[in-house]
Amino acid sequence: MTRRIRRILLPGLNAPVFNMTQCCVPGCFNKSGSKQQSNLSFYRFPCEKREKRKIENEKLKKQVEKQKQTFSFSQISDNPERVQYYTGLPDAASVLFLEALLSRFDLKYHSDWTVQMMPLIDQLFLTLVKLKLNFGHEDLSIRFNCSRGTVTNIFTTIVSALYDILYVGMLENNIPSRAKNQTSLPDCFQPFANCRIVLDCTEVSVCNTERLDTQSHLYSQYKGRTTLKALIGVAPNGVITFVSNLYGGSASDKAITADCGVLQHLQPGDMVIADKGFTIRDILPEGVSLNIPSFLTNGQFTQEEVNNNRKISCARIHVERSIQRLKVFSILHHIPYQFKKNINKILKACVCLTNLQTPILREIE
């Protein structure tokens, strides 16, 4: 379609007048073949519809640019150091492995509405960032361009799914036998070839409560504040094979060991290695031995006690390193109040993620 515009100047007018015999814009008031003349200045356009479309296009461009700024896993997946920093996992392959497991799982969203505006890989990424760095929900909502309610819905849902897949499906009630442990026994555990599990406790800080009786139950004399306490069991190769529910910080190591169910998995001939605080010899099943550092009774250790303590310390150091790896997930430094109902799932999901890291001992690789 062609357009022919003739510029004329009428007497007494400063602005030019256009004679538009045909307009190429659909719906314009200048009909084809019309001889009507209109007074138009240079800064006006005969059709406002096109101007509105331009404004709408600008708005869409701004929305697209805003979407490009959203934090996503694709932005860091090519950098293992950043993957380690944000997720606590060694590489992108580990994150994609978890995504594959989640894609086969029937997700039941916590808030009863499905999150469709964010891909599953980024929902997993958001959850891992929360576990690893414990960013606030307002921070995460800005980073991932979503509401705080969406952050809560995603985090609670994905944590529950990881708990069901990794802990219930793989770790729960699955402590390796002595024979299996001996297939990957480190050199420092050679003096303890029958060791089935190494026990230790870890504590998580929580907020104070208004009720004094509850504060007394949660107060830890060791930490000097209100905490929750869990029993951790580690295999000789450094893999965490048992984790209990969380108890009040005032609970003793012995009381937690007796109540959490770990003793039910032990069999005659098994050996348990623990710290001095685990005076649990009298509650162990028959035929199960306990190896803990010797207590100082006569003012001086015998040479045999010194050697035994040194061997136990060399073996237990790897267990402490496993627990240190668990504490890499900053959410375990202080559990937010709003997650108190899911606190055990959060702990156990972090334990399973810890086991996905590279082996502690090079000789196990």
Side-chain angles (χ1 to χ4, degrees):
M1 183 179 296
T2 61
R3 179 174 62 182
R4 182 162 51 87
I5 302 176
R6 181 163 55 88
R7 183 177 184 273
I8 60 176
L9 190 64
L10 295 179
L13 294 179
N14 295 325
V17 177
F18 293 89
N19 182 19
M20 303 181 67
T21 60
Q22 188 174 7
C23 180
C24 63
V25 180
C28 181
F29 59 79
N30 285 301
K31 303 299 181 180
S32 176
S34 174
K35 297 181 179 181
Q36 182 181 2
Q37 293 181 352
S38 301
N39 291 336
L40 299 174
S41 62
F42 284 113
Y43 60 85
R44 295 181 59 190
F45 191 75
C47 187
E48 295 181 357
K49 191 173 182 180
R50 174 171 291 185
E51 191 68 24
K52 290 181 179 179
R53 288 180 178 175
K54 182 184 292 187
I55 295 174
E56 291 176 356
N57 288 338
E58 291 297 327
K59 289 182 178 179
L60 290 174
K61 287 180 180 179
K62 290 181 180 180
Q63 292 178 3
V64 170
E65 290 298 323
K66 187 177 180 181
Q67 290 293 334
K68 288 181 179 179
Q69 295 172 5
T70 301
F71 195 36
S72 65
F73 180 68
S74 61
Q75 296 176 358
I76 68 162
S77 58
D78 294 335
N79 191 323
E81 292 182 357
R82 291 184 180 179
V83 173
Q84 176 77 33
Y85 173 76
Y86 282 107
T87 69
L89 299 177
D91 49 35
S94 302
V95 180
L96 295 175
F97 168 71
L98 293 179
E99 184 208 12
L101 294 178
L102 288 173
S103 64
R104 302 176 184 177
F105 188 77
D106 184 20
L107 290 177
K108 297 180 181 179
Y109 281 87
H110 168 73
S111 301
D112 295 330
W113 50 270
T114 302
V115 177
Q116 297 179 341
M117 49 80 67
M118 188 182 301
L120 180 60
I121 183 64
D122 288 331
Q123 295 184 44
L124 171 62
F125 182 46
L126 182 152
T127 303
L128 295 175
V129 171
K130 176 64 179 178
L131 293 174
K132 174 63 167 55
L133 301 175
N134 200 18
F135 289 152
H137 282 201
E138 184 68 25
D139 186 306
L140 291 172
S141 67
I142 295 172
R143 290 174 185 267
F144 289 89
N145 192 29
C146 62
S147 66
R148 294 180 62 179
T150 301
V151 172
T152 301
N153 191 17
I154 290 174
F155 177 75
T156 307
T157 301
I158 300 299
V159 163
S160 297
L162 293 176
Y163 167 81
D164 290 334
I165 295 172
L166 299 179
Y167 179 75
V168 177
M170 301 181 185
L171 186 62
E172 188 177 30
N173 300 324
N174 196 21
I175 299 177
S177 63
R178 293 196 313 274
K180 185 173 291 187
N181 284 340
Q182 289 172 359
T183 61
S184 58
L185 197 68
D187 293 338
C188 59
F189 272 88
Q190 292 301 331
F192 315 109
N194 290 334
C195 178
R196 178 81 181 275
I197 195 170
V198 183
L199 299 179
D200 202 354
C201 281
T202 186
E203 296 186 58
V204 178
S205 175
V206 291
C207 297
N208 290 329
T209 61
E210 295 180 356
R211 298 181 55 180
L212 294 179
D213 56 341
T214 305
Q215 286 191 28
S216 175
H217 174 67
L218 296 178
Y219 187 79
S220 169
Q221 295 288 346
Y222 179 70
K223 294 291 185 179
R225 60 177 184 269
T226 53
T227 65
L228 293 172
K229 193 174 183 179
L231 180 71
I232 303 293
V234 183
N237 62 2
V239 175
I240 300 177
T241 57
F242 179 86
V243 56
S244 72
N245 288 331
L246 286 158
Y247 294 78
S250 63
S252 66
D253 298 341
K254 183 176 182 179
I256 296 176
T257 305
D259 184 73
C260 68
V262 65
L263 301 180
Q264 301 173 4
H265 300 282
L266 302 179
Q267 299 176 352
D270 289 344
M271 174 189 291
V272 175
I273 295 180
D275 198 8
K276 285 184 178 180
F278 285 82
T279 55
I280 58 175
R281 199 181 302 274
D282 58 324
I283 63 173
L284 290 176
E286 185 177 357
V288 177
S289 60
L290 175 66
N291 201 331
I292 62 176
S294 303
F295 288 91
L296 185 61
T297 54
N298 298 323
Q300 185 176 359
F301 289 116
T302 65
Q303 187 60 44
E304 182 181 355
E305 290 174 336
V306 170
N307 293 336
N308 185 60
N309 289 350
R310 184 181 294 111
K311 292 177 182 178
I312 294 176
S313 297
C314 291
R316 288 193 70 258
I317 189 66
H318 304 300
V319 177
E320 294 175 1
R321 290 174 62 193
S322 296
I323 295 178
Q324 286 178 354
R325 279 192 168 191
L326 175 61
K327 290 299 183 72
V328 163
F329 293 95
S330 298
I331 197 170
L332 297 180
H333 296 173
H334 186 88
I335 297 288
Y337 178 79
Q338 63 265 35
F339 296 132
K340 64 178 183 178
K341 293 184 178 179
N342 297 302
I343 196 167
N344 286 310
K345 290 184 178 181
I346 291 174
L347 170 66
K348 293 176 181 180
C350 289
V351 164
C352 295
L353 294 175
T354 301
N355 286 339
L356 292 179
Q357 299 178 15
T358 54
I360 291 179
L361 303 176
R362 292 183 178 179
E363 54 191 294
I364 303 300
E365 295 181 354

